[in-house]
Amino acid sequence: MRFTLLGPLEIVTSEGSLTPSAPMLRRVLALLLLRADTVVRSGALVEELWGDRPPRSARTTLQTYIYQLRKLFGSFEAGQDTCDSLVLLTKPPGYELQLGEGDQVDVYEFEALVNRAKACRHEGLIEDAVDALNEALGLWSGSALTDVEKGSLLDAEATRLEEIRKEVLELRLELDLQLGRHHEVVSELLSLVSANPAHEGFVAKLMLALVRCGRRAEALDVYQRTRTELVAGLGLEPSTEIRRLHHSILKGDGEVGPQVSAMAPASPAQLPPAITDFVGRTGETRRLRSAVAGDRGLSIVQVLGPPGVGKTAFALQAAHELRSLFPDGQFYASVGDLGDCGRGLADILAGFLRSCGIPPDRLPPGLRELSNMFRTWTADRKVLVVLDEVLAARHIRELTPGGSSCAMLVVSRTRPAAVPGMVNISLGPLPEDSALELLGRLIGPERVATEPEAARTLIRTCDRLPLALRAVAGRIAARPHWSLDRMIGRLSRSDNLLVELGEYGDELLASVEASRRQLSGITRDTLDLVAGLCGETVTPAVVADLLDVRPAAAETLLEQLVDASLIEEQASAREGHESGYRVPTLFQAAVRQLAESWHAPPVGPAGPSTSPFREPADV
């Protein structure tokens, strides 16, 4: 469904319009949409409908409106299993309209486009910012909620949206002027000032556009008319900004004539948002901060860990906390799909340099030259570079800043070739207390407190991996009538655990696949073999026997898998005995799904082995 509020209220589906005509029902729907995915108190809805004099039957009548909306949406059951369609839930102390995956609300699209535009502007991408602002303004088809009878709450919301609309329009005009488009915006500004004669932001931009078009006398006339309007209507003189602009025009100051160049910000800030419910990792964060703080020269910290453990989330959380140490900029790039592609690295460096304010026509064509230019720009600055999904040492070398006060955070699935001075921080599954805290934040601490033993069983079933916990918590949070025991039962009975994790299961599978793809053939075969043993702990001697290789070679293969964070090493409690190795439960499911014939060892004693470890010289 598509909901429009930036103009007439309308509900559009593939089968036509579903917009209700009853005025009170439209008001309830509008308020629920404006606060979608949050609980709207019944008292707020009553206030919107009847103000401070509700009838005795207000609550009953409100329930009738809620029933009618549920009937309209075809959603009667508050606990239905689907999470991809719109539902209207009863949640004390009120009601919550939960949008489905395909539902669109123009207000939220508008806000997302405005945020995108501001991000582009911050990165110096002025034309992209203008395009996003024009797209945002294009969503409006009249005044907000123009055909809805508004009570106090909706009236305040409509006023807020209209103010934001004016701010966005003013920003778009400012950026158009920054790009030298004064001829294109003059007529639009004349119309806006005529409709809003006391809006000094529009007035200042009109004066600036006119003088840049060589229409200096008209610019001065706009000032005089605005001053007369303000003094007569409000008893106010124009603002300091407009008076200064007027004085500059009178003096013939050259600064107001030429267009302003689209300069990039002094400090690029490219970090993706950090997650809001990050928990734990206190010791690792302290170690990372210690590694990058101080005057010890360029710092490079590599974050390692198994798929789904939250490496990227940890690195971004730390990067945001460290931003104040790197005032000259923070850069971010994901390099996982580049392989050994020099062109991809060149594109990343070109993007870094454009965000530093270097015009595209000044960028050299080659990777080496771009890398040298980036090191030159950063040589005397304090910048932070965050690289995600790093697979090769070359990615680090080519994207390293040049300043001794700079730092890099590198997120890797496996250990790339050693880089001098690199500090490694390995993340394991969350400690039990942190995993319980995360589960409580995701589904509500009261549900964890109600079923404490089930909560502990659940986090163990998820191998205490944040990715898996988020997947399971998402299903539980969407089904308030489910107990934790019910979720545990589903996981224990499932033939494919990854299916139960939904999109997070796909994400975990993709992550394991990417790590598995980096392994050599014999190492991959070893992983498939150990995963096929369904959680058994094996020793190098057992693997050596199954693969028909020497014990030392088997131990090397297992250690390679430990370095790739795909299996766990469990030290023997008995001195002199071999360590054991096992694949965590969720990784078993992923590896078995990826392996073509996981039920039988891909290499065994029955046939000739092609293992590179057969000869002593290879170990």
Side-chain angles (χ1 to χ4, degrees), residues 529 597-603:
L529 170 69
S597 301
W598 62 266
H599 55 276
V603 179

Side-chain angles (χ1 to χ4, degrees), residues 143-213:
S143 301
L145 299 169
T146 185
D147 61 348
V148 177
E149 296 178 12
K150 294 179 277 292
S152 59
L153 299 180
L154 284 181
D155 188 60
E157 287 287 349
T159 300
R160 179 184 69 86
L161 290 170
E162 291 292 345
E163 288 300 316
I164 295 174
R165 181 188 188 183
K166 283 185 179 179
E167 291 172 7
V168 169
L169 179 56
E170 189 175 354
L171 175 59
R172 198 220 75 208
L173 291 164
E174 176 186 326
L175 297 183
D176 275 332
L177 288 171
Q178 194 171 336
L179 291 170
R181 297 172 180 170
H182 34 274
H183 290 286
E184 292 91 329
V185 300
V186 163
S187 60
E188 182 180 7
L189 281 165
L190 284 167
S191 176
L192 286 169
V193 170
S194 176
N196 305 271
H199 193 297
E200 294 180 286
F202 292 154
V203 169
K205 288 169 181 57
L206 175 57
M207 292 170 62
L208 197 58
L210 286 169
V211 77
R212 288 179 181 173
C213 290

Side-chain angles (χ1 to χ4, degrees), residues 116-134 171-181 260-265 354:
R116 186 204 304 173
K118 290 178 178 178
C120 289
R121 181 196 187 196
H122 192 73
E123 294 180 10
L125 306 174
I126 305 302
E127 291 191 11
D128 290 345
V130 170
D131 290 343
L133 291 173
N134 278 325
L171 175 59
R172 198 220 75 208
L173 291 164
E174 176 186 326
L175 297 183
D176 275 332
L177 288 171
Q178 194 171 336
L179 291 170
R181 297 172 180 170
V260 180
S261 61
M263 296 297 292
R354 284 196 302 272

